[in-house]
Amino acid sequence: MLKRLYLVKYNKLLRVYYLYAYELSTSFMQKSKTLRSLWYKLSSNQRYTIRKWYYLPIDTYDLLLGKRHPMVPPRGYIYTGSSANASAYLEQGLYQLELLQQTVALKPNHKVLDIGSGIGRTAIALTQFLNNGGSYDGFDVVPKGVDWCNQKVFSDTAPFRFKYIPIYNDLYNNSGEKACTFVFPYQNHSFDVVFSFSVFTHMQIEEIENYFREIHRVLDDHGSCFSTFFTYTSEEEAHIHQHPTFPFPIVKGQYRLMNDNVKSGNIAIHQDLLTQMLHRSGLEVVEIINGNWKSTEAQNQPIEYQDIVVFRKKTAAASGPLT
């Protein structure tokens, strides 16, 4: 009885706390570019610590009520995408799995590579999908996420392997080797499907192009790749420059940055440049599915916030030598 009363009072306090926090965060994202700039100036460890303490009350509440899932991290541990309770986190992963099935025809016997495996959002869904013929490999630049996944995320029907790669990224990792020269730790033609969610939105142009070359190397000749980007056309450029809540004001030729001090904060790439980069890497665009990040409307939204780009190796007749 006392425990129930304690939980009821704790729940009421949480509602007040997060109602205030929601209003504060909404103001932060929509009204203050200065605050967003200050957030980007914090180190990755500082941002992680703030998130952990911010979500500590609700994470404690979930623990007391037994609402945790053994594979799903607490909200305060989630450093990519939106923090969510266990059921919502699992739903997000299942949605990403559905996208992969729809766009690159992912099958249970496929060998897949997850670039930027994060803290297991997509991998958890794949534990119930891949079978004995399939396999999962993922790598990430944040050791906390890799450690969590190696300890918590596994399958009885397919091998799951997570690697920590110490690559420098001014948003997530302040030390390590350069992404523009990084060689994926996998053999040629190893994967049927390569995918990434919200990775190339936090990398610089020369880094992205190196990853394209590595994708070409490790992808099977008949394989496909799914990645999300912020892309734009010439007709959309003025709009994203002045977007009321998600602007890209820093012009760098055919790409734009949200913040010049943290170049990996967010990057938007002109679709012409993206196509050229893929072409130079021996790849070709299959489809670009526009996300809703450029929209200010609440209705008729596309299926994903970021833009989805599906690509593959160029056909032998069209590819020619790589340049």
Side-chain angles (χ1 to χ4, degrees), residues 48-302:
Y48 183 82
T49 300
I50 290 172
R51 288 174 71 108
K52 192 171 182 179
W53 280 101
Y54 173 79
Y55 286 108
L56 180 62
I58 191 67
D59 284 337
T60 303
Y61 182 71
D62 285 346
L63 180 63
L64 291 172
L65 266 64
K67 292 185 175 183
R68 295 273 186 88
H69 183 281
M71 292 189 186
V72 176
R75 291 173 176 84
Y77 283 56
I78 300 171
Y79 56 87
T80 61
S82 59
S83 295
N85 61 30
S87 61
Y89 197 79
L90 294 171
E91 288 177 7
Q92 291 167 4
L94 289 171
Y95 177 67
Q96 292 179 336
L97 170 57
E98 184 180 339
L99 287 178
L100 292 171
Q101 291 177 277
Q102 291 174 353
T103 57
V104 294
L106 180 66
K107 294 181 172 56
N109 64 342
H110 277 164
K111 294 175 173 59
V112 304
L113 173 62
D114 184 357
I115 299 173
S117 49
I119 199 160
R121 196 186 310 261
T122 317
I124 294 171
L126 288 169
T127 62
Q128 303 300 313
F129 179 79
L130 296 176
N131 63 23
N132 290 322
S135 65
Y136 172 98
D137 283 274
F139 67 86
D140 202 88
V141 303
V142 181
K144 296 180 182 70
V146 175
D147 290 344
W148 176 273
C149 289
N150 277 322
Q151 294 171 19
K152 303 288 186 178
V153 181
F154 59 88
S155 170
D156 295 328
T157 59
F160 274 67
R161 297 173 288 258
F162 301 88
K163 287 181 181 290
Y164 165 59
I165 308 294
I167 297 175
Y168 173 80
N169 180 283
D170 58 2
L171 185 64
Y172 292 118
N173 197 348
N174 294 325
S175 62
E177 65 177 289
K178 294 181 178 180
C180 58
T181 57
F182 170 58
V183 177
F184 289 4
Y186 309 105
Q187 298 297 316
N188 297 352
H189 314 294
S190 297
F191 300 103
D192 302 297
V193 171
V194 177
F195 69 88
S196 65
F197 286 91
S198 196
V199 171
F200 294 131
T201 53
H202 300 297
M203 294 178 65
Q204 298 178 48
I205 290 295
E206 63 274 15
E207 298 171 341
I208 296 171
E209 193 151 9
N210 179 59
Y211 272 45
F212 285 169
R213 291 191 294 268
E214 284 299 292
I215 289 171
H216 180 276
R217 181 180 66 80
V218 303
L219 188 64
D220 182 81
D221 287 341
H222 302 288
S224 298
C225 186
F226 170 110
S227 292
T228 63
F229 296 81
F230 295 122
T231 72
Y232 62 92
T233 63
S234 297
E235 292 76 17
E236 295 168 329
E237 189 163 10
H239 170 66
I240 69 166
H241 177 84
Q242 302 175 14
H243 195 286
T245 60
F246 206 73
F248 285 86
I250 312 299
V251 182
K252 299 286 185 178
Q254 285 188 294
Y255 67 95
R256 287 173 166 267
L257 301 177
M258 185 171 286
N259 187 297
D260 206 18
N261 294 321
V262 183
K263 293 180 171 58
S264 299
N266 277 299
I267 182 172
I269 306 174
H270 196 292
Q271 290 182 8
D272 289 348
L273 175 59
L274 183 61
T275 300
Q276 294 165 16
M277 292 165 62
L278 288 166
H279 178 83
R280 289 195 293 264
S281 303
L283 301 164
E284 63 182 1
V285 174
V286 176
E287 184 179 19
I288 297 178
I289 305 170
N290 287 324
N292 61 48
W293 69 276
K294 293 185 284 270
S295 175
T296 56
E297 301 292 331
Q299 299 178 347
N300 300 319
Q301 298 289 11

